[in-house]
Amino acid sequence: LAIESEEHARRSMKDGQIEDIDQVAQVARRVKQRLESRLGVMLKKVCIAAAGRALKTQKADYEIQLEQVRQIDGELIGRLEIGAVTAAEEAFHKENNAEDKELGRGFFLVGYSVLSYYLDNLNISSLKDHKGRNLKVEVIATFLPREVVDSLYMTMQKCSLEVVSLTLEPIAAINAAIPQDLRLLNLALIDIGAGTSDIAVCRDGGVTGYTMA
């Protein structure tokens, strides 16, 4: 409905991460006020696409074996994806636990994408409304340090905005720029910004990796 932007007066962000929370909040507040004035509404909630030089990813899969052949609905797909994301979290923290403790750093899960679905061991682009017994999904989950996530939430809090969703810039960019059908062409999206370049890579119809440079 409307777009507003404003440049930072000084280097309050570096490589896509917030350095000075108060300065960033002042800029965001002015942008919010201009949007409210243009649209004649009060903005109370916000969705964030986060950047960060400390991005990490983890792949995982999860499988459900049904007692009998049945039609697959959204609730079953949700259970399948949640299982894979939980497995990714467990694997990530197991692999990074020693390093994180040494650095005193914790990581938050901030997004995930489905790499592949399988129905009775056959790769399929969508499970919904198909019938089968054996369901499997592979996902790639993404993590950012606690400090990056906390700074985003505090900045929005200073703007009187409630965060309702958090994703990553490469995820947001590829969803905006490369439709699902075009991902069969094995494309790479590179979003070149002021401090970071966000990269997402597709293969066989799915997004297989994200990173930031």
Side-chain angles (χ1 to χ4, degrees):
L1 296 176
I3 296 172
E4 289 284 345
S5 64
E6 181 175 329
E7 292 185 9
H8 295 284
R10 63 174 192 252
R11 193 74 166 165
S12 51
M13 296 188 71
K14 189 184 294 179
D15 293 343
Q17 293 181 195
I18 297 171
E19 301 278 318
D20 188 327
I21 290 176
D22 197 53
Q23 285 294 317
V24 174
Q26 288 181 37
V27 172
R29 199 178 300 119
R30 288 195 293 270
V31 169
K32 171 178 174 270
Q33 289 167 351
R34 289 202 296 269
L35 284 168
E36 289 175 332
S37 177
R38 283 183 60 181
L39 297 172
V41 298
M42 289 290 293
L43 298 174
K44 298 179 181 179
K45 298 181 179 182
V46 65
C47 302
I48 302 172
R53 53 187 176 267
L55 165 72
K56 293 188 177 184
T57 62
Q58 179 73 47
K59 292 181 181 179
D61 59 61
Y62 188 73
E63 193 169 339
I64 294 177
Q65 183 76 39
L66 302 172
E67 291 183 1
Q68 59 187 18
V69 174
R70 58 167 282 194
Q71 186 172 338
I72 300 158
D73 56 18
E75 186 270 337
L76 196 52
I77 295 170
R79 279 174 49 199
L80 190 66
E81 292 183 10
I82 288 169
V85 170
T86 301
E89 281 193 279
E90 291 173 353
F92 176 83
H93 290 302
K94 185 177 181 180
E95 289 182 15
N96 293 274
N97 196 37
E99 179 186 352
D100 292 344
K101 280 186 176 178
E102 185 179 333
L103 296 173
R105 175 188 291 168
F107 277 78
F108 282 143
L109 170 73
V110 294
Y112 77 94
S113 287
V114 172
L115 296 176
S116 299
Y117 291 113
Y118 295 89
L119 179 63
D120 294 335
N121 299 317
L122 293 175
N123 189 297
I124 193 167
S125 60
S126 174
L127 290 172
K128 195 168 189 319
D129 293 331
H130 286 280
K131 289 185 177 182
R133 284 190 62 190
N134 185 270
L135 318 178
K136 182 180 175 182
V137 66
E138 295 177 346
V139 303
I140 180 168
T142 49
F143 300 82
L144 280 176
R146 179 186 300 273
E147 298 86 349
V148 174
V149 178
D150 285 347
S151 66
L152 287 165
Y153 273 77
M154 181 55 67
T155 301
M156 294 299 98
Q157 186 177 318
K158 284 176 172 285
C159 297
S160 302
L161 289 168
E162 176 193 352
V163 178
V164 293
S165 74
L166 172 65
T167 187
L168 292 165
E169 284 192 357
I171 295 176
I174 198 165
N175 285 339
I178 302 182
Q180 189 72 38
D181 292 347
L182 289 182
R183 295 177 195 181
L184 290 166
L185 299 177
N186 301 346
L187 300 173
L189 176 138
I190 306 174
D191 175 9
I192 300 174
T196 60
S197 291
D198 307 310
I199 303 165
V201 179
C202 323
R203 186 176 67 226
D204 300 329
V207 180
T208 58
Y210 303 103
T211 191
M212 299 185 189

